Amino acid sequence: MPDVGRLLVCATPIGNLGDVTLRVLDVLRSADVILAEDTRVTRKLLARYDLHTPLERYDEATAAVRTPVVVERIASGATVALVSDAGTPGISDPGARLVDAALTAGLPVEVLPGASAIVTALVASGLPTHAFYFGGFLPRKAGELRRALAGLAGLDATLVFYESPRRTAASVAAVAEVFPGRQAAMARELTKLHEEVLRGTTGELARALEGRELKGEVVLLVGPPVADETPVVEDDTIAAAVNALVVAGVSRKDAVKRVSEGLGVPRNDVYRIALRSE
Ligand code: SAM
């Protein structure tokens, strides 16, 4: 039986061809085959470094069929390098599937770190980095988009999303509605000639992008919650909630406690509002 080969997951530049590591270049030179999302994109990198390793397609459309074949080749001794169009394979591309299949088959997998649009954008945005949440691509449909954003409202973290340039203005407008007052950033064409990082409140960003035709690659970032984001609960809502519980037989003290916890309003305030409405 032949020795097994390896899967080598190689980070490549997100724009500037200089952002490739020496180790990745060594692997791309010596691998038996390079699997690439888009062979035309990867060919530019190989040409720049005078590399002539065979290139094959491995993308969303071919992954289902190709994965078992690639695993079989690694099991038979091949050294396979995996690259994506940009950055670290496995993030919002089919790379994760191949890594999983190789590991499941008990084959060696090594990740060669390097560029990633997520980390580059996060640091370039100047937004807090104590915690961040990566949400991949945002939903396209307006309702789903708002629901997805609203579901993240409580996270004390900077939110990071990949976005298409055509949808950026609409997504930022939704972000401004769901997260008014938060700091945000739009990072475009990072490490490339037309690199741009727009910063401001979500509203300022929405106004700056309204009607603008963007080109290139975009990452959207939204800062953690700010103090004045706490939803305002109307006095009438509080009074009605207490009243409904009292009518249902709950003691006033317990009703005030329940409404306070349920609506996130201090107990004294609930008590005062309920008394006033009697
Ligand atoms: N795996 C990659 C990584 O490590 O970040 C990203 C691949 S993902 C399918 C492609 C998305 O990454 C683009 O739609 C864009 O949102 C983002 N992206 C890639 N290169 C970028 C760049 N130079 N500037 C801004 N965003 C970029």
Side-chain angles (χ1 to χ4, degrees):
M1 207 169 117
D3 285 343
V4 296
R6 283 181 303 165
L7 175 64
L8 298 162
V9 183
C10 299
T12 55
I14 57 168
N16 186 320
L17 291 185
D19 293 335
V20 63
T21 69
L22 298 174
R23 195 170 157 226
V24 164
L25 289 179
D26 275 348
V27 164
L28 295 183
R29 187 173 293 112
S30 61
D32 294 310
V33 63
I34 300 171
L35 299 184
E37 245 188 310
D38 185 334
T39 50
R40 285 164 307 176
V41 172
T42 305
R43 232 176 269 290
K44 287 184 195 154
L45 180 70
L46 299 192
R48 160 78 187 266
Y49 292 101
D50 196 23
L51 304 174
H52 305 279
T53 308
L55 257 186
E56 289 178 18
R57 187 172 153 203
Y58 182 84
D59 59 8
E60 206 62 65
T62 55
V65 174
R66 301 271 286 128
T67 301
V69 179
V70 175
V71 167
E72 186 53 46
R73 275 161 88 178
I74 299 170
S76 310
T79 300
V80 174
L82 174 70
V83 302
S84 70
D85 280 359
T88 304
I91 314 287
S92 298
D93 67 33
R97 187 191 298 206
L98 184 55
V99 171
D100 179 48
L103 290 174
T104 303
L107 297 170
V109 176
E110 271 179 56
V111 179
L112 283 69
S116 161
I118 303 168
V119 173
T120 310
L122 178 65
V123 176
S125 74
L127 290 167
T129 57
H130 64 282
F132 70 92
Y133 169 90
F134 171 60
F137 286 95
L138 281 166
R140 294 170 185 216
K141 291 190 181 148
E144 281 174 37
L145 170 61
R146 274 175 184 70
R147 269 195 298 283
L149 292 172
L152 301 171
L155 274 186
D156 177 25
T158 291
L159 312 177
V160 185
F161 304 102
Y162 288 155
E163 190 48 286
S164 102
R166 276 177 295 108
R167 285 196 299 274
T168 298
S171 294
V172 173
V175 161
E177 266 178 42
V178 180
F179 304 123
R182 285 202 198 184
Q183 293 298 310
M186 191 264 327
R188 192 174 67 86
E189 293 289 86
L190 292 165
T191 76
K192 303 188 201 177
L193 186 62
H194 298 293
E195 171 166 326
E196 175 186 25
V197 180
L198 266 184
R199 286 157 41 90
T201 63
T202 53
E204 286 167 344
L205 226 60
R207 282 190 291 282
L209 291 170
E210 200 183 342
R212 209 181 126 185
E213 264 191 38
L214 288 183
K215 288 211 172 85
E217 314 239 46
V218 173
V219 179
L220 271 186
L221 305 103
V222 185
V226 288
D228 64 4
E229 224 173 88
T230 325
V232 177
V233 184
E234 301 289 339
D235 286 5
D236 286 352
T237 309
I238 296 169
V242 173
N243 198 35
L245 287 171
V246 171
V247 169
V250 178
S251 74
R252 175 164 303 279
K253 194 174 161 216
D254 282 349
V256 167
K257 181 169 177 275
R258 283 205 219 168
V259 170
S260 158
E261 288 167 359
L263 296 178
V265 178
R267 207 179 292 190
N268 283 347
D269 291 351
V270 175
Y271 187 70
R272 184 175 42 76
I273 292 162
L275 265 188
R276 210 173 47 207
S277 76
E278 274 180 353

Short mmCIF file of all heavy atoms in Angstrom, two decimals, residues 14-15 37 84 86-93 115-118 137 161-163 187-192 217-219, ligand 1:
data_model
loop_
_atom_site.label_atom_id
_atom_site.label_comp_id
_atom_site.label_asym_id
_atom_site.label_seq_id
_atom_site.Cartn_x
_atom_site.Cartn_y
_atom_site.Cartn_z
N ILE A 14 -5.43 38.46 -0.77
CA ILE A 14 -6.80 38.94 -1.01
C ILE A 14 -6.78 40.10 -2.02
O ILE A 14 -7.77 40.80 -2.18
CB ILE A 14 -7.53 39.37 0.28
CG1 ILE A 14 -6.76 40.46 1.03
CG2 ILE A 14 -7.78 38.17 1.18
CD1 ILE A 14 -7.58 41.12 2.14
N GLY A 15 -5.66 40.30 -2.68
CA GLY A 15 -5.59 41.36 -3.69
C GLY A 15 -4.16 41.65 -4.10
O GLY A 15 -3.83 41.61 -5.29
N GLU A 37 -10.47 27.43 -6.71
CA GLU A 37 -11.86 27.80 -6.94
C GLU A 37 -12.03 28.31 -8.36
O GLU A 37 -12.95 27.92 -9.06
CB GLU A 37 -12.21 28.94 -5.98
CG GLU A 37 -13.24 28.59 -4.96
CD GLU A 37 -13.66 29.81 -4.20
OE1 GLU A 37 -12.79 30.56 -3.72
OE2 GLU A 37 -14.89 30.01 -4.07
N SER A 84 -8.19 29.17 -2.45
CA SER A 84 -9.48 29.76 -2.86
C SER A 84 -9.18 30.98 -3.73
O SER A 84 -8.02 31.29 -3.99
CB SER A 84 -10.31 30.13 -1.64
OG SER A 84 -9.74 31.23 -0.97
N ALA A 86 -9.44 34.01 -2.93
CA ALA A 86 -8.78 35.04 -2.13
C ALA A 86 -8.74 34.59 -0.69
O ALA A 86 -9.72 34.05 -0.19
CB ALA A 86 -9.54 36.35 -2.23
N GLY A 87 -7.63 34.81 -0.03
CA GLY A 87 -7.54 34.58 1.40
C GLY A 87 -7.45 33.12 1.80
O GLY A 87 -6.89 32.28 1.08
N THR A 88 -8.02 32.82 2.96
CA THR A 88 -7.88 31.49 3.54
C THR A 88 -9.02 30.58 3.08
O THR A 88 -10.19 30.89 3.31
CB THR A 88 -7.90 31.61 5.08
OG1 THR A 88 -6.86 32.52 5.47
CG2 THR A 88 -7.67 30.27 5.75
N PRO A 89 -8.70 29.45 2.44
CA PRO A 89 -9.77 28.54 1.99
C PRO A 89 -10.56 28.00 3.18
O PRO A 89 -10.02 27.87 4.29
CB PRO A 89 -9.00 27.41 1.30
CG PRO A 89 -7.66 27.94 1.01
CD PRO A 89 -7.37 28.96 2.08
N GLY A 90 -11.81 27.70 2.95
CA GLY A 90 -12.63 27.14 4.01
C GLY A 90 -13.58 28.14 4.62
O GLY A 90 -14.48 27.78 5.36
N ILE A 91 -13.37 29.43 4.32
CA ILE A 91 -14.26 30.46 4.86
C ILE A 91 -15.18 30.92 3.73
O ILE A 91 -14.73 31.55 2.78
CB ILE A 91 -13.46 31.69 5.38
CG1 ILE A 91 -12.27 31.28 6.23
CG2 ILE A 91 -14.38 32.65 6.10
CD1 ILE A 91 -12.61 30.76 7.60
N SER A 92 -16.46 30.59 3.85
CA SER A 92 -17.45 30.94 2.81
C SER A 92 -17.04 30.42 1.43
O SER A 92 -17.22 31.10 0.41
CB SER A 92 -17.69 32.46 2.74
OG SER A 92 -18.21 32.93 3.94
N ASP A 93 -16.45 29.24 1.39
CA ASP A 93 -16.18 28.57 0.12
C ASP A 93 -16.21 27.06 0.40
O ASP A 93 -16.32 26.66 1.56
CB ASP A 93 -14.86 29.04 -0.50
CG ASP A 93 -13.65 28.64 0.33
OD1 ASP A 93 -13.67 27.56 0.96
OD2 ASP A 93 -12.67 29.39 0.35
N ALA A 115 -3.30 35.54 4.50
CA ALA A 115 -4.30 36.61 4.39
C ALA A 115 -5.71 36.10 4.63
O ALA A 115 -6.05 34.97 4.29
CB ALA A 115 -4.22 37.25 3.01
N SER A 116 -6.53 36.97 5.21
CA SER A 116 -7.96 36.72 5.36
C SER A 116 -8.66 38.07 5.34
O SER A 116 -8.26 39.00 6.03
CB SER A 116 -8.24 36.00 6.68
OG SER A 116 -9.60 36.17 7.00
N ALA A 117 -9.72 38.16 4.53
CA ALA A 117 -10.43 39.44 4.41
C ALA A 117 -11.08 39.82 5.75
O ALA A 117 -11.19 41.01 6.07
CB ALA A 117 -11.49 39.35 3.32
N ILE A 118 -11.47 38.83 6.53
CA ILE A 118 -12.16 39.11 7.80
C ILE A 118 -11.25 39.89 8.74
O ILE A 118 -11.60 40.96 9.23
CB ILE A 118 -12.59 37.81 8.50
CG1 ILE A 118 -13.47 36.95 7.60
CG2 ILE A 118 -13.29 38.10 9.81
CD1 ILE A 118 -13.67 35.53 8.13
N PHE A 137 -22.08 35.83 4.34
CA PHE A 137 -22.84 36.75 3.49
C PHE A 137 -24.22 36.97 4.11
O PHE A 137 -24.87 36.01 4.54
CB PHE A 137 -22.99 36.18 2.08
CG PHE A 137 -21.72 36.24 1.27
CD1 PHE A 137 -20.86 35.15 1.22
CD2 PHE A 137 -21.38 37.40 0.57
CE1 PHE A 137 -19.68 35.21 0.47
CE2 PHE A 137 -20.21 37.46 -0.18
CZ PHE A 137 -19.36 36.37 -0.23
N PHE A 161 -19.40 41.06 8.07
CA PHE A 161 -20.12 40.36 6.99
C PHE A 161 -19.41 40.56 5.66
O PHE A 161 -18.91 41.66 5.37
CB PHE A 161 -21.54 40.91 6.84
CG PHE A 161 -22.35 40.87 8.10
CD1 PHE A 161 -22.54 42.01 8.85
CD2 PHE A 161 -22.92 39.68 8.53
CE1 PHE A 161 -23.29 41.98 10.03
CE2 PHE A 161 -23.66 39.63 9.70
CZ PHE A 161 -23.85 40.78 10.45
N TYR A 162 -19.42 39.53 4.84
CA TYR A 162 -19.02 39.69 3.44
C TYR A 162 -20.24 40.27 2.72
O TYR A 162 -21.38 39.97 3.06
CB TYR A 162 -18.70 38.33 2.81
CG TYR A 162 -17.41 37.70 3.27
CD1 TYR A 162 -17.24 36.32 3.20
CD2 TYR A 162 -16.35 38.47 3.73
CE1 TYR A 162 -16.06 35.72 3.60
CE2 TYR A 162 -15.17 37.87 4.13
CZ TYR A 162 -15.02 36.49 4.07
OH TYR A 162 -13.86 35.90 4.46
N GLU A 163 -19.98 41.08 1.70
CA GLU A 163 -21.10 41.66 0.98
C GLU A 163 -20.73 41.87 -0.49
O GLU A 163 -19.55 42.04 -0.81
CB GLU A 163 -21.49 43.00 1.64
CG GLU A 163 -22.77 43.61 1.15
CD GLU A 163 -23.94 42.64 1.11
OE1 GLU A 163 -23.99 41.78 0.21
OE2 GLU A 163 -24.84 42.74 1.96
N ALA A 187 -15.34 48.21 4.32
CA ALA A 187 -13.96 48.06 3.84
C ALA A 187 -14.00 47.47 2.44
O ALA A 187 -14.59 46.40 2.23
CB ALA A 187 -13.19 47.14 4.79
N ARG A 188 -13.43 48.18 1.49
CA ARG A 188 -13.56 47.77 0.08
C ARG A 188 -12.18 47.65 -0.56
O ARG A 188 -11.29 48.47 -0.29
CB ARG A 188 -14.39 48.82 -0.65
CG ARG A 188 -14.86 48.44 -2.03
CD ARG A 188 -15.79 49.52 -2.58
NE ARG A 188 -15.08 50.76 -2.83
CZ ARG A 188 -14.43 51.04 -3.96
NH1 ARG A 188 -14.40 50.18 -4.94
NH2 ARG A 188 -13.81 52.20 -4.10
N GLU A 189 -12.01 46.62 -1.38
CA GLU A 189 -10.78 46.46 -2.17
C GLU A 189 -9.51 46.50 -1.31
O GLU A 189 -8.52 47.14 -1.67
CB GLU A 189 -10.72 47.54 -3.26
CG GLU A 189 -11.80 47.39 -4.32
CD GLU A 189 -11.55 46.20 -5.24
OE1 GLU A 189 -11.98 45.09 -4.86
OE2 GLU A 189 -10.93 46.37 -6.28
N LEU A 190 -9.56 45.82 -0.18
CA LEU A 190 -8.42 45.82 0.75
C LEU A 190 -7.17 45.29 0.06
O LEU A 190 -7.24 44.32 -0.69
CB LEU A 190 -8.75 44.96 1.97
CG LEU A 190 -9.84 45.55 2.87
CD1 LEU A 190 -10.36 44.49 3.84
CD2 LEU A 190 -9.33 46.76 3.63
N THR A 191 -6.08 45.91 0.35
CA THR A 191 -4.74 45.59 -0.19
C THR A 191 -4.61 45.88 -1.69
O THR A 191 -3.59 45.56 -2.29
CB THR A 191 -4.30 44.13 0.07
OG1 THR A 191 -4.99 43.24 -0.84
CG2 THR A 191 -4.53 43.67 1.49
N LYS A 192 -5.64 46.47 -2.30
CA LYS A 192 -5.58 46.74 -3.74
C LYS A 192 -5.44 48.25 -3.97
O LYS A 192 -5.52 49.06 -3.05
CB LYS A 192 -6.85 46.23 -4.43
CG LYS A 192 -7.12 44.75 -4.22
CD LYS A 192 -8.26 44.29 -5.10
CE LYS A 192 -8.88 43.03 -4.56
NZ LYS A 192 -10.02 42.59 -5.33
N GLU A 217 -14.59 44.28 -4.01
CA GLU A 217 -14.94 43.36 -2.93
C GLU A 217 -15.17 44.15 -1.64
O GLU A 217 -14.41 45.06 -1.33
CB GLU A 217 -13.79 42.38 -2.70
CG GLU A 217 -13.26 41.82 -4.00
CD GLU A 217 -13.36 40.34 -4.02
OE1 GLU A 217 -14.41 39.80 -3.64
OE2 GLU A 217 -12.36 39.71 -4.40
N VAL A 218 -16.20 43.74 -0.91
CA VAL A 218 -16.63 44.54 0.24
C VAL A 218 -16.78 43.70 1.50
O VAL A 218 -17.29 42.58 1.45
CB VAL A 218 -18.00 45.21 -0.08
CG1 VAL A 218 -18.57 45.91 1.14
CG2 VAL A 218 -17.87 46.18 -1.24
N VAL A 219 -16.34 44.26 2.61
CA VAL A 219 -16.66 43.69 3.93
C VAL A 219 -17.39 44.78 4.72
O VAL A 219 -16.96 45.93 4.74
CB VAL A 219 -15.39 43.26 4.69
CG1 VAL A 219 -15.75 42.71 6.08
CG2 VAL A 219 -14.60 42.21 3.91
N1 SAM B 1 -11.78 32.94 2.09
C1 SAM B 1 -11.62 34.36 1.96
C2 SAM B 1 -11.05 34.97 3.23
O1 SAM B 1 -10.14 34.44 3.77
O2 SAM B 1 -11.48 36.05 3.69
C3 SAM B 1 -12.83 35.07 1.47
C4 SAM B 1 -13.57 34.39 0.37
S1 SAM B 1 -15.19 34.95 0.28
C5 SAM B 1 -15.95 33.78 -0.75
C6 SAM B 1 -15.08 36.33 -0.74
C7 SAM B 1 -15.50 37.59 0.00
O3 SAM B 1 -14.41 38.05 0.79
C8 SAM B 1 -15.81 38.75 -0.93
O4 SAM B 1 -17.16 38.69 -1.38
C9 SAM B 1 -15.59 39.94 -0.04
O5 SAM B 1 -16.70 40.13 0.81
C10 SAM B 1 -14.40 39.45 0.81
N2 SAM B 1 -13.12 39.92 0.24
C11 SAM B 1 -12.21 39.20 -0.42
N3 SAM B 1 -11.16 39.96 -0.79
C12 SAM B 1 -11.43 41.22 -0.35
C13 SAM B 1 -10.76 42.47 -0.43
N4 SAM B 1 -9.59 42.59 -1.05
N5 SAM B 1 -11.34 43.55 0.15
C14 SAM B 1 -12.53 43.45 0.78
N6 SAM B 1 -13.21 42.30 0.87
C15 SAM B 1 -12.68 41.19 0.32
#
